[in-house]
Structures are given as C-alpha cells and as structure tokens.
Amino acid sequence: MAMNMTSRVAALNPEVEQILKPFKLSREELMLVMRRMRKEMEMGLSRKGQKEASVRMLPTFVHYRPDGKEKGSFLALDLGGTNFRVLLVRFCPQTEGGMKHVNQSYSIPQEVMQGRGKQLFDHIVDCVAKFLSNQKITERLPLGFTFSFPCKQISLDQAILLNWTKGFSVPDCVGKDVVQLLREAIQRRQELDLEVVALANDTVGTMMSAAFQDPKCEIGLIVGTGTNACYMEQMKNIEKLDGDSGEMCINMEWGAFGQGEQHSLAEIVNEFDKLVDQQSLHPGKQIYEKMIGGKFLGAIVQNILLNLKEKGCIFRGIQTHTLEQENIIRTKFLSKIESDSGDLLHVKSILEELGLPCGIEDRVVVQAVCLAVSQRAAQLCGAGLAAVLERMRENRQMDLMKMTVGVEGSLYKLHPHFSQILKDTVKDLAAKCEVHFHLSEDSSAMGAALVAASTRAS
Ligand code: GLC
C-alpha cells in the first residue's frame, strides 16, 4: 500500500517526492547506522572511551533474570511517559501467567514535569497515597520504581540522575539520587510506610517481565514517547566495571546516539530533524530518539508540511495558521492517517479537526509524509536493534542465535506498520539471528516489581 500511495504523490507533484527523499534510507545507510551503533556500544563499555561515547551503556546491577518462582506482593511506580502509574503486583506461581496486578494512571501537569524536584516527588507520593487508599492497602509493601531516564546506578537502590530527557526538565534533581528523593518525599507524607528496594529503567523492566514468561528474553526495547534498549552483557566485556564473572543488564540509553562529538548520525540527519531538535526542550541531545520516538514524529511531519506549504505544494492559496501551532500533529494522528486507504476519509476528518484544508490531493500528500517519517523511524530502530543482536551473537560465537526481545511502547503497539518494518529491517540486517518479539502490556512497570522481588530472593 505504501508504494502505491507514494507513486500517487509523485504523479501529483514531483517536488513532494524530492522533499521526502532524505527520509528514504538505503540499505547501505542502515548498515552504516548499525556499524556506528556497535562502535559506540564498544566505546561506552570501555574505561577510556566512555566519556566520548554518546551511547552511555549504563550498568544496572541486574545480574539476574526471573525464573517464574517469584513470590509476594509489591508496589510498582512508573515515571517516564506521559502519565505516572501505580501498580500493585502479586506474584503467585500457581495462577496462570504467574502474577496478578491492578493499576491506575495519573496525569502529570506540565508545570510539575518542568518544575522543582520537591513538587514532582510530592506529586508522585500523593498519587501513591490515593492508590493505596482506593485499593484499601494497609500492609507495608516493598516498592520497585521504574524511572525511565538516564541514571548512574551504584546499586539497585542508588541511582544518580544524569540528565532529563523527553518532556521532563526538573534541574534541581540532576546529580541527585532519585531513590533518596522518593524516600524523602515518602517521609514527608507521614502516614505512608513504604520500602523503596529497587529502581529500574523501563527497558530493564520490560526485559524482566518478558523473561518471566520466556527465559530466552535477554533484550528489552521501548518504542513509545522515547526509545531505548537494554540487554544482558557478559561482565568480562564491561571493561569500565570490575569483575569478570557472570553477566549484567546494560541500559544502553541509545536515544542519545548521534549527539556530541562523534556525530554518528551526521549523514542521516536532515534539515527537518535539525529543526525539531532546535525546537525541543533539550536541543542538541537525544538525536536518535528524536528521529524515532512518538514524542517527536508528529513534529517532524509538521515541519515538512509547513515547508511544503511554503513551496506551494500543499494547502494552496489558503491561510493555515494552525499549522504553526506547537505540537499540533500528534503521533496518534500518524497511526490513524497511515491506516487509511481508498478515499482517505480518516485523513480528511483529522485535517478537518485541525482546521486544515482537506482536498484529495492534500490528503494524499499528508499521508505520504507520515508514511515516510514513520518508515524511517522503524528502520532506524531496526538498525540499532540489529547492532545489539549481532554483538551478542558474535560474543557468543554462535552461527545462529535465537533471541526474544521484550518490547513495550505505544508506537510499536498501536502504529499500523511500525512493528512490521522494524521486524523486516532486523531480519535483513541481522540475518543470523532468529528473533521473537514479545509484546506485553504494563511490562516496564511490572518488571520493576520483579527487580524488587529479586532483592528478596537473594
Ligand atoms: C528516554 C530515556 C530512557 C528511556 C526511554 C524510553 O530515552 O532517557 O531512560 O528508557 O526514554 O522511555
């Protein structure tokens, strides 16, 4: 379908085709991305290279993956996407699936996401108190905290925040131990009695949840608001850490790939990516994430449409001020626009909703723009994942490696083509890896409960 649409556009206007050209990556370009990712992984793990690497390769202190025998009840908090979530997770080996959970989402106002630390952590604890009271929970529960930002971990329950990403910016927390900040906020709410036992990145949580059901899972992948991956690395390859035996999960923080001195994505980044970066909350940072994550795809589309409008290729002769408003094209629109076929009636209704002209020519162009942007996102993500898989396969000296990837995130789950393009790219670039993608709901948060459970098992 994608090809037909693209050729319809070319038939309508070759200039559109020209503007979308930088989004059509060749196999060579994807292989270049894969090679560069591997190089940065190597640097990030080494003692000397770690300072220059854009991919930080953060040790998580998770040496263990679940075995399905976990027991007990845990609270899990999940901070990192658009909502804050609280879960009560009960592991019960006898029941189907091995666990039960209830959860509740709470919104985080923009002024809290970009305010002061005390306000943010008090808000979190406030939501936890509401949850406990709604669920009538009075027992003292151990708590696992899914915190989806880069942290330098010193242990499972000590995590120094390195910087904020996505839509968060709470400067007075940077350089502080976020577990401690949470404990202090709990103490301020005197009626609460909770024991924070572990912090985990969402990638780690997702890997742990998938591994709970499928022991072959050694990679966690997130493609939602942002993007990131983690995987199990042999200790002997983590040069920057002492100790040679066993393995540890590494939170790659691959969203930062392409930032800084290395310019690893210099040949791929185009004028629209640069604009989105400049307009973002953290300019110059998270370059790879800004080409893949759901928070940014709509902004890329919007910048392309504005450019097409200026060139007179779309929305001809009509004032379209709405197109200049910030964040007007949401990623969920992309999913809807790209699912459409025939007369593109969904595209029509979205354009109408946005107050934009919606003639058939405009609809076709808008759809082609969305397709090009999300296809590149899925391919770039696939090239990164292929780098991780190939590194693991070569380290294990296997001719063929079977691997399960635990995956979570709205883009992977809800977008009509993203997951398929990602899978096709991985199959092409890492042909010696047989990959199974394990998608599960709420897995990143439940995984923090599993990490918490691991502290009880040892
Ligand atoms: C951002 C965060 C990272 C997280 C990812 C997905 O890249 O820095 O920690 O895993 O988003 O939520």
Side-chain angles (χ1 to χ4, degrees):
M1 187 193 79
M3 286 313 293
N4 286 344
M5 280 303 165
T6 315
S7 47
R8 272 169 75 178
V9 181
L12 287 167
N13 191 342
E15 231 180 312
V16 175
E17 190 81 331
Q18 196 55 33
I19 286 176
L20 294 182
K21 216 169 154 195
F23 289 90
K24 312 276 163 68
L25 301 181
S26 66
R27 187 165 193 274
E28 284 64 41
E29 284 170 315
L30 291 173
M31 282 171 65
L32 176 77
V33 172
M34 179 179 170
R35 275 200 307 280
R36 297 255 174 92
M37 179 69 89
R38 280 196 67 171
K39 184 168 160 239
E40 291 239 14
M41 289 173 79
E42 194 70 49
M43 280 171 63
L45 289 172
S46 72
R47 258 182 231 280
K48 273 201 188 137
Q50 55 172 320
K51 287 214 172 64
E52 281 104 71
S54 64
V55 182
R56 278 199 182 109
M57 307 296 280
L58 300 169
T60 64
F61 294 83
V62 171
H63 296 277
Y64 152 103
R65 282 175 307 122
D67 57 10
K69 294 194 187 120
E70 288 67 20
K71 286 197 291 261
S73 299
F74 296 85
L75 266 190
L77 314 188
D78 184 5
L79 181 75
T82 29
N83 287 319
F84 169 66
R85 283 151 23 89
V86 187
L87 291 87
L88 169 68
V89 186
R90 292 192 198 278
F91 297 109
C92 21
Q94 278 79 33
T95 59
E96 202 194 325
M99 64 163 94
K100 288 193 247 170
H101 77 281
V102 278
N103 73 77
Q104 183 70 51
S105 272
Y106 302 88
S107 64
I108 310 179
Q110 167 115 346
E111 65 272 17
V112 176
M113 283 164 86
Q114 295 172 20
R116 312 262 320 153
K118 184 167 175 290
Q119 199 190 1
L120 172 65
F121 281 89
D122 282 348
H123 178 70
I124 289 177
V125 171
D126 211 34
C127 300
V128 177
K130 280 190 193 127
F131 179 83
L132 292 174
S133 130
N134 282 343
Q135 297 295 325
K136 304 196 174 29
I137 299 168
T138 47
E139 59 195 302
R140 181 171 207 247
L141 291 175
L143 183 155
F145 186 18
T146 302
F147 183 75
S148 310
F149 301 95
C151 289
K152 180 177 163 56
Q153 281 194 250
I154 302 154
S155 63
L156 280 181
D157 69 345
Q158 278 177 288
I160 312 293
L161 175 63
L162 295 171
N163 58 272
W164 291 100
T165 54
K166 298 174 282 194
F168 282 75
S169 177
V170 188
D172 63 339
C173 297
V174 175
K176 297 208 178 119
D177 177 359
V178 281
V179 173
Q180 193 52 32
L181 294 178
L182 178 61
R183 283 181 181 146
E184 286 167 9
I186 293 172
Q187 266 162 19
R188 283 197 289 276
R189 264 314 267 244
Q190 283 168 358
E191 82 270 16
L192 283 193
D193 188 14
L194 297 166
E195 188 190 0
V196 189
V197 295
L199 174 142
N201 187 257
D202 51 355
T203 54
V204 181
T206 296
M207 180 193 79
M208 294 290 276
S209 284
F212 184 70
Q213 285 163 357
D214 177 350
K216 278 204 288 298
C217 178
E218 297 182 62
I219 299 181
L221 171 69
I222 302 284
V223 214
T225 310
T227 182
N228 191 12
C230 73
Y231 73 104
M232 294 306 288
E233 179 62 272
Q234 289 149 319
M235 282 296 287
K236 65 175 172 20
N237 296 330
I238 312 176
E239 202 204 18
K240 63 184 179 184
L241 277 193
D242 293 333
D244 268 353
S245 66
E247 32 177 40
M248 186 187 281
C249 178
I250 295 289
N251 164 19
M252 291 177 64
E253 285 296 328
W254 82 7
F257 184 46
Q259 77 182 38
E261 302 283 288
Q262 299 296 320
H263 296 297
S264 293
L265 291 167
E267 296 86 342
I268 311 291
V269 165
N270 63 41
E271 54 173 313
F272 301 106
D273 298 314
K274 288 185 187 153
L275 265 178
V276 169
D277 178 42
Q278 283 158 21
Q279 295 157 351
S280 70
L281 189 60
H282 306 287
K285 309 281 183 214
Q286 304 291 107
I287 304 300
Y288 187 58
E289 179 161 85
K290 286 174 186 159
M291 299 164 106
I292 300 175
K295 183 166 175 49
F296 307 99
L297 297 190
I300 305 180
V301 168
Q302 189 170 350
N303 279 307
I304 301 175
L305 294 181
L306 270 170
N307 186 290
L308 288 170
K309 163 84 186 128
E310 268 163 37
K311 291 201 162 73
C313 302
I314 193 171
F315 309 143
R316 277 191 211 107
I318 304 162
Q319 291 297 326
T320 52
H321 296 302
T322 34
L323 209 48
E324 278 145 44
Q325 285 166 23
E326 221 182 302
N327 291 331
I328 184 166
I329 313 267
R330 307 263 194 74
T331 303
K332 68 171 189 230
F333 292 161
L334 263 66
S335 290
K336 225 170 155 197
I337 287 173
E338 292 179 52
S339 327
D340 219 352
S341 58
D343 289 338
L344 306 182
L345 294 176
H346 284 318
V347 185
K348 182 167 184 269
S349 73
I350 289 176
L351 291 178
E352 269 168 359
E353 201 182 310
L354 295 175
L356 293 169
C358 54
I360 185 70
E361 284 190 22
D362 290 337
R363 283 183 248 162
V364 171
V365 174
V366 168
Q367 190 181 49
V369 171
C370 294
L371 282 165
V373 169
S374 53
Q375 164 159 326
R376 184 190 64 158
Q379 287 177 328
L380 284 173
C381 183
L385 188 58
V388 180
L389 286 158
E390 274 299 282
R391 177 184 167 88
M392 292 173 91
R393 187 186 67 77
E394 284 177 21
N395 280 348
R396 295 166 188 206
Q397 299 175 337
M398 295 167 113
D399 291 333
L400 178 77
M401 182 179 76
K402 291 193 178 175
M403 176 58 65
T404 297
V405 177
V407 45
E408 203 190 15
S410 49
L411 211 51
Y412 183 91
K413 212 162 34 188
L414 305 176
H415 188 278
H417 316 298
F418 192 97
S419 59
Q420 194 53 50
I421 301 172
L422 169 72
K423 287 176 190 167
D424 292 346
T425 309
V426 169
K427 204 167 180 181
D428 183 30
L429 300 181
K432 293 179 179 170
C433 299
E434 211 176 90
V435 186
H436 168 66
F437 288 82
H438 181 113
L439 171 70
S440 51
E441 302 276 335
D442 289 333
S443 60
S444 58
M446 283 192 295
L450 282 164
V451 179
S454 76
T455 65
R456 302 288 131 137
S458 52

